Amino acid sequence: MRVVSLVPSLTEAVAVTVPGVLVGATDWCTHPAGLDVARVGGTKNPDVPRIAALAPDLVVANEEENRAPDLAALRAAGVEVIVTEIRTLDQAFRELARVLAACGAGRPRWLDEAEAAWRELPRPAARLRAAVPVWRRPWMVLGRDTFAGDVLARLGVDNAYADHAERYPRVPVEELTSADLDLVVLPDEPYRFTPEDGPEAFPDTPVALIGGRHLTWYGPSLVEAPTVLSGALRAAVR
């Protein structure tokens, strides 16, 4: 098999499970460390001719991270494309199994361990209401129907914008700072929130800085994500 991945988390899943099959990945594919494959541009602007020149048997993509015109161009070039839809944790487990099978792999042990880790979560002592900004200038937050929102809900954190009509609504920071929130969750991707860039906007609300890989990636990181995320969320509200 020769596989090109246009999704960072799927890149990690394929590379860890079926070493050697990946021949191309995006510039944003940072895991596993030291991945030595051809780089084919970004998730939103992949180099279609370069991908086709790699002669892949399969390109793995995602309906949210990748643009339909780029995927159509790949198909027009004779490349087989598998497109995932992942908006819940259960969907993630199903789609990971489907992608890995398409890459010629059996079910990996880490996928069983990830499902067990999330199945055996303790019941949260109390539920928290939070906003989850994912961009700044302008401020944008998680809205309805997102994988990250489902992950947080399983950890006892309810997204204040879960019922919004948009999946990633723009929200004035004044609205966020005046909202009735127990917590603001700031991941380090897609916008890279840091201790110096983000928390200062919410002086009256606890802030949890968390790794975007554990919140938004679906792959081997799901094994440790419940422990890592729970620790960061608890530390913020002590």
Side-chain angles (χ1 to χ4, degrees), residues 40-65:
V40 297
T43 57
K44 304 297 185 188
N45 58 343
D47 186 333
V48 172
R50 179 164 173 75
I51 295 170
L54 291 171
D57 299 297
L58 182 68
V59 170
V60 295
N62 175 263
E63 51 90 26
E64 179 176 352
E65 293 206 42

Side-chain angles (χ1 to χ4, degrees), residues 15-94:
V16 167
T17 307
V18 205
V21 304
L22 275 178
V23 295
T26 75
D27 300 339
W28 300 105
C29 294
T30 56
H31 289 73
L35 181 66
D36 184 17
V37 297
R39 299 295 172 162
V40 297
T43 57
K44 304 297 185 188
N45 58 343
D47 186 333
V48 172
R50 179 164 173 75
I51 295 170
L54 291 171
D57 299 297
L58 182 68
V59 170
V60 295
N62 175 263
E63 51 90 26
E64 179 176 352
E65 293 206 42
N66 307 121
R67 301 185 318 126
D70 295 321
L71 304 182
L74 285 167
R75 292 189 176 103
V79 177
E80 182 178 352
V81 181
I82 183 171
V83 183
T84 58
E85 179 182 303
I86 299 176
R87 301 191 182 188
T88 68
L89 191 61
D90 290 339
Q91 267 190 318
F93 292 137
R94 291 194 298 270

Side-chain angles (χ1 to χ4, degrees), residues 1-192:
M1 286 287 291
R2 293 175 61 83
V3 178
V4 172
S5 173
L6 301 182
V7 186
S9 51
L10 294 179
T11 296
E12 183 179 19
V14 173
V16 167
T17 307
V18 205
V21 304
L22 275 178
V23 295
T26 75
D27 300 339
W28 300 105
C29 294
T30 56
H31 289 73
L35 181 66
D36 184 17
V37 297
R39 299 295 172 162
V40 297
T43 57
K44 304 297 185 188
N45 58 343
D47 186 333
V48 172
R50 179 164 173 75
I51 295 170
L54 291 171
D57 299 297
L58 182 68
V59 170
V60 295
N62 175 263
E63 51 90 26
E64 179 176 352
E65 293 206 42
N66 307 121
R67 301 185 318 126
D70 295 321
L71 304 182
L74 285 167
R75 292 189 176 103
V79 177
E80 182 178 352
V81 181
I82 183 171
V83 183
T84 58
E85 179 182 303
I86 299 176
R87 301 191 182 188
T88 68
L89 191 61
D90 290 339
Q91 267 190 318
F93 292 137
R94 291 194 298 270
E95 291 285 61
L96 282 165
R98 181 168 74 99
V99 166
L100 295 174
C103 293
R107 184 177 176 86
R109 180 176 178 180
W110 65 258
L111 187 53
D112 289 332
E113 292 174 347
E115 289 204 47
W118 285 95
R119 185 172 57 247
E120 296 164 6
L121 282 176
R123 181 182 296 275
R127 301 200 67 83
L128 302 172
R129 187 171 187 268
V132 189
V134 292
W135 202 257
R136 185 172 190 173
R137 305 181 191 93
W139 287 91
M140 299 175 69
V141 300
L142 289 185
R144 63 172 180 83
D145 195 23
T146 66
F147 171 77
D150 186 47
V151 164
L152 288 171
R154 291 167 185 261
L155 297 173
V157 177
D158 297 320
N159 179 11
Y161 290 88
D163 294 327
H164 197 282
E166 300 177 21
R167 296 186 67 216
Y168 300 99
R170 295 187 181 190
V171 179
V173 69
E174 295 79 12
E175 178 179 325
L176 293 174
T177 54
S178 64
D180 181 19
L181 300 174
D182 301 306
L183 181 67
V184 173
V185 178
L186 297 179
D188 64 6
E189 60 177 76
Y191 185 91
R192 187 171 180 79

